[in-house]
């Protein structure tokens, strides 16, 4: 395995690791310690099965007849779901953090052929279009049986995604060559272009869409096709005229968030940054209101910038307006790569190069070669050594020790273990001495020649400033020592 061989683009936001220090807007903000209780709805990507995990909650689905999923996109039951698909669950939450699902609902965001594909730096992100609608996919996008590097022009895909403030979409899931949908092979979501509505046709992202009166559902009609209003179009492509034939026109995926109960859980990228004046930010087409009762988990107000993946628990007030009761970050700010030293199933954790990695229900574990979804038990070393690349959140436990909460783990089997490791994390103020650096809870010996393009004294100066210092370290285990390490390279991220 190549150990994070390229510079990874991390969120340029430093997670606050010392909790309970929020004083913005004149309020005392609370550390998150609970979740929804009673009934409500949860909208977010599926992160596991054996029941269904959404937004970190295990929902038992045996109370739903045939474990049915409401969908017109070829998803009939729980067995048809995949990790990363954005699912809506209505149900009941229990004090132990689990829930009983009363219903499940899924809808593709986009479906069609990939065009205008552009690979990002390091082949770790891509942008492309589905009939003029722009889509971004990155390291937290789940791909079914493929990788970002093998995504190609003309691929027929289904996409589950979040809409961003600029109207583009951030993919949570990409599936390849989904089942044929008859008249509804294509699905497109977006706004009606200004000045484009004419007799039996309009354009969306420059694509001509033809319709008749039978195309509209949910009480809609051609009179509702107003410029800038978002709709969902399902139909087919007329290759001769290069147009889409709409068989079904309905409101866009905002209906996922319709208030069905008092409470809702939502996950997605921040669509508009935190506004200090009215103490709100945008998320998935909703306005999220922060109050003095809002609880936090490893997050500060200034971190709420466009594009940051967060999870919000809240209460619908009216329309698009939600009072946040709890907010937590879902974007990774730390990484580690190397050979697994040990796995502890009793604590849902494992060790890599001295870093303790915690696995939670929202952790996605995959095989690097097959993209097969795995369990923590699949990381236990056997005849072959197991190497992993882990991205997640740098956190501090109740015992004061730093650990990495995994969001994504990629496994690769090797004939023999390697003694080289690589990690990225936030350097604490007291994490540096003349002979060692302590990061992600691991003390690593350093020499002057290990520093790349800067010096120990420059690093000391940076630590005295207000900005968090993110470091990338390549290191090895010292010969004949189990838990002592030495750095070969130290770089600023």
């Amino acid at each position: 395995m190549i150990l994070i061989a390229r510079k990874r683009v991390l969120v340029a936001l430093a997670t606050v690791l010392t909790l309970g220090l929020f004083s913005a807007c004149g309020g005392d903000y609370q550390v998150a310690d609970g979740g929804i209780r009673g009934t409500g709805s949860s909208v977010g990507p599926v992160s596991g099965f054996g029941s269904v995990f959404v937004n970190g909650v295990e929902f038992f689905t045996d109370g739903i007849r045939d474990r049915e999923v409401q969908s017109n996109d070829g998803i009939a039951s729980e067995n048809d779901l995949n990790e990363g698909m954005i699912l809506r669950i209505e149900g009941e939450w229990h004090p132990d953090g689990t829930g009983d699902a009363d219903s499940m609902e899924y809808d593709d965001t986009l479906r069609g052929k990939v065009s205008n594909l552009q690979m990002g730096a390091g082949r770790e992100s891509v942008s492309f279009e589905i009939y003029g609608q722009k889509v971004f996919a990155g390291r937290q996008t789940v791909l079914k049986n493929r990788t970002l590097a093998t995504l190609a022009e003309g691929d027929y895909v289904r996409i589950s995604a979040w809409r961003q403030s600029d109207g583009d979409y951030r993919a949570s899931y990409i599936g390849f060559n989904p089942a044929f949908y008859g008249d509804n092979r294509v699905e497109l979501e977006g706004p009606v272009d200004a000045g484009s509505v004419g007799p039996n046709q309009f354009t969306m992202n420059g694509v001509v869409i033809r319709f008749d009166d039978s195309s509209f559902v949910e009480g809609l009609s051609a009179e509702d096709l107003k410029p800038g209003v978002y709709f969902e179009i399902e139909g087919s492509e007329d290759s001769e005229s290069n147009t889409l034939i709409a068989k079904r026109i309905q409101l866009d995926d905002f209906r996922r968030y319709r208030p069905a109960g008092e409470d809702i859980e939502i996950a997605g990228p921040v669509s508009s940054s935190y506004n200090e004046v009215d103490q709100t930010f945008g998320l998935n087409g909703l306005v999220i209101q922060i109050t003095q009762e809002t609880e936090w988990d490893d997050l500060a107000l200034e971190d709420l910038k466009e594009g940051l993946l967060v999870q919000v628990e809240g209460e619908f007030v009216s329309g698009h307006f939600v009072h946040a009761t709890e907010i937590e970050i879902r974007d990774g700010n730390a990484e580690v790569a190397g050979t697994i030293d040990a796995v502890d199933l009793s604590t849902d954790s494992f060790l890599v190069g001295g870093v303790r990695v915690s696995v939670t229900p929202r952790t996605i574990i995959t095989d690097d070669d097959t993209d097969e979804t795995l369990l923590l038990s699949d990381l236990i070393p056997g005849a072959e050594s197991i190497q992993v690349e882990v991205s997640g959140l740098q956190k501090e436990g109740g015992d004061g020790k730093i650990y990495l909460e995994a969001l994504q783990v990629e496994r690769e089997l090797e004939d023999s273990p390697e003694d080289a490791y690589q990690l990225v994390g936030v350097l604490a103020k007291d994490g540096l001495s003349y002979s060692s650096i302590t990061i992600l809870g691991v003390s690593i010996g350093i020499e002057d020649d290990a520093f790349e393009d800067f010096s120990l004294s420059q690093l000391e100066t940076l630590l005295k400033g207000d900005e968090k210092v993110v470091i990338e370290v390549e290191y090895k285990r010292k010969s004949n020592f189990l838990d002592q390490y030495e750095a070969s390279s130290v770089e600023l991220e």
Side-chain angles (χ1 to χ4, degrees):
M1 173 178 286
I2 299 175
L3 301 182
I4 320 181
R6 301 166 295 277
K7 279 276 190 178
R8 296 246 173 131
V9 179
L10 293 180
V11 179
L13 302 172
T15 300
V16 176
L17 298 177
T18 305
L19 303 178
L21 299 181
F22 306 102
S23 58
C25 307
D28 294 324
Y29 290 86
Q30 305 176 51
V31 178
D33 60 1
I36 287 180
R37 298 293 181 262
T39 60
S41 56
S42 185
V43 182
V46 174
S47 60
F49 294 101
S51 47
V52 175
F53 290 85
V54 174
N55 293 333
V57 176
E58 180 180 11
F59 288 96
F60 301 106
T61 59
D62 49 332
I64 302 175
R65 183 177 181 179
D66 299 325
R67 290 180 166 83
E68 176 191 13
V69 176
Q70 300 170 26
S71 173
N72 64 351
D73 292 335
I75 304 295
S77 73
E78 178 183 324
N79 292 332
D80 299 319
L81 295 170
N82 287 285
E83 285 88 353
M85 286 183 168
I86 299 174
L87 186 69
R88 175 188 173 88
I89 289 183
E90 294 180 20
E92 182 177 357
W93 281 253
H94 303 307
D96 63 358
T98 63
D100 290 322
D102 296 328
S103 67
M104 296 182 286
E105 181 179 349
Y106 174 77
D107 184 36
D108 286 338
T109 307
L110 302 165
R111 195 166 56 244
K113 293 181 180 178
V114 171
S115 64
N116 296 325
L117 178 67
Q118 296 185 7
M119 189 67 64
R123 302 177 71 82
E124 294 182 350
S125 65
V126 297
S127 62
F128 56 93
E129 294 181 3
I130 301 291
Y131 303 109
Q133 178 59 64
K134 294 183 179 180
V135 182
F136 169 83
R139 291 167 48 206
Q140 290 192 346
T141 303
V142 179
L143 287 84
K144 180 66 172 179
N145 299 324
R146 293 278 289 277
T147 65
L148 290 177
T150 60
L151 183 64
E153 289 275 340
D155 276 337
Y156 175 46
V157 297
R158 73 183 321 158
I159 296 173
S160 186
W162 295 288
R163 188 168 77 227
Q164 302 182 105
S165 60
D166 58 4
D168 296 346
Y169 285 81
R170 179 172 176 171
S172 175
Y173 168 83
I174 300 177
F176 293 79
N177 300 314
F180 186 70
Y181 287 87
D183 290 339
N184 294 337
R185 181 175 173 84
V186 172
E187 182 164 340
L188 183 61
E189 184 175 303
V192 175
D193 293 338
S196 70
V197 180
N200 298 321
Q201 74 173 41
F202 66 98
T203 68
M204 179 181 290
N205 302 309
V207 176
V208 176
I209 298 169
R210 293 158 51 193
F211 64 86
D212 58 33
D213 291 342
S214 66
S215 303
F216 296 91
V217 298
E218 301 175 344
L220 299 175
S221 70
E223 295 181 355
D224 296 303
L225 297 174
K226 307 296 184 183
V229 177
Y230 277 72
F231 289 92
E232 176 186 298
I233 312 298
E234 291 185 272
S236 60
E237 181 180 10
D238 184 344
S239 57
E240 293 184 2
S241 63
N242 197 28
T243 62
L244 298 183
I245 310 301
K247 297 296 183 180
R248 183 182 179 90
I249 300 177
Q250 61 186 2
L251 295 176
D252 73 305
D253 275 341
F254 177 75
R255 65 185 186 280
R256 289 173 176 161
Y257 310 110
R258 67 187 186 280
E262 294 182 356
D263 297 324
I264 188 169
E265 289 180 330
I266 322 152
V270 173
S271 57
S272 59
S273 301
Y274 176 70
N275 185 322
E276 293 184 3
V277 176
D278 56 17
Q279 300 180 35
T280 65
F281 66 95
L283 177 69
N284 298 345
L286 299 170
V287 177
I288 310 299
Q289 175 73 62
I290 294 173
T291 71
Q292 291 189 1
E293 284 70 43
T294 301
E295 298 180 349
W296 299 78
D297 189 352
D298 292 353
L299 189 65
L301 291 174
E302 58 267 25
D303 293 338
L304 292 171
K305 302 289 179 60
E306 286 188 24
L308 180 69
L309 270 178
V310 296
Q311 180 174 315
V312 174
E313 295 179 7
E315 300 175 355
F316 265 106
V317 179
S318 62
H320 293 53
F321 206 69
V322 174
H323 274 169
T325 56
E326 182 175 327
I327 303 174
E328 62 179 314
I329 194 171
R330 290 177 65 97
D331 253 330
N333 68 339
E335 300 178 354
V336 68
T339 302
I340 286 184
D341 298 316
V343 175
D344 188 346
L345 296 178
S346 67
T347 60
D348 292 327
S349 65
F350 59 91
L351 288 175
V352 179
V355 178
R356 183 167 71 89
V357 179
S358 173
V359 173
T360 73
R362 66 180 180 178
T363 303
I364 297 174
I365 307 175
T366 58
D367 183 88
D368 186 56
D369 293 325
T370 66
D371 285 333
E372 175 189 2
T373 302
L374 306 174
L375 302 174
L376 177 59
S377 57
D378 294 314
L379 301 182
I380 298 175
E384 296 177 293
S385 67
I386 295 179
Q387 296 190 54
V388 290
E389 291 188 7
V390 184
S391 62
L393 303 172
Q394 180 172 326
K395 291 199 170 185
E396 181 178 347
D399 56 2
K401 295 182 178 179
I402 302 298
Y403 66 97
L404 175 58
E405 182 180 291
L407 294 174
Q408 186 170 4
V409 180
E410 292 184 2
R411 181 196 75 170
E412 186 170 323
L413 302 177
E414 295 289 346
D415 293 334
S416 59
E418 295 185 4
D419 64 351
Y421 304 92
Q422 191 166 356
L423 61 77
V424 177
V426 179
L427 182 61
K429 297 291 185 182
D430 59 353
L432 183 65
S433 73
Y434 72 93
S435 62
S436 68
I437 188 169
T438 300
I439 189 167
L440 287 180
V442 182
S443 178
I444 303 170
I446 53 172
E447 301 289 345
D448 289 341
D449 60 1
F451 291 94
E452 301 281 343
D453 301 325
F454 71 108
S455 65
L456 176 62
S457 60
Q458 289 174 315
L459 186 56
E460 291 174 335
T461 300
L462 288 173
L463 282 175
K464 294 177 182 177
D466 295 330
E467 298 294 326
K468 295 292 182 179
V469 179
V470 180
I471 297 294
E472 178 182 319
V473 183
E474 296 179 10
Y475 62 108
K476 293 184 178 182
R477 179 177 279 114
K478 289 184 177 180
S479 300
N480 302 320
F481 289 92
L482 181 63
D483 58 354
Q484 294 187 25
Y485 305 92
E486 56 187 354
S488 56
S489 172
V490 180
E491 298 182 62
L492 287 172
E493 275 288 316

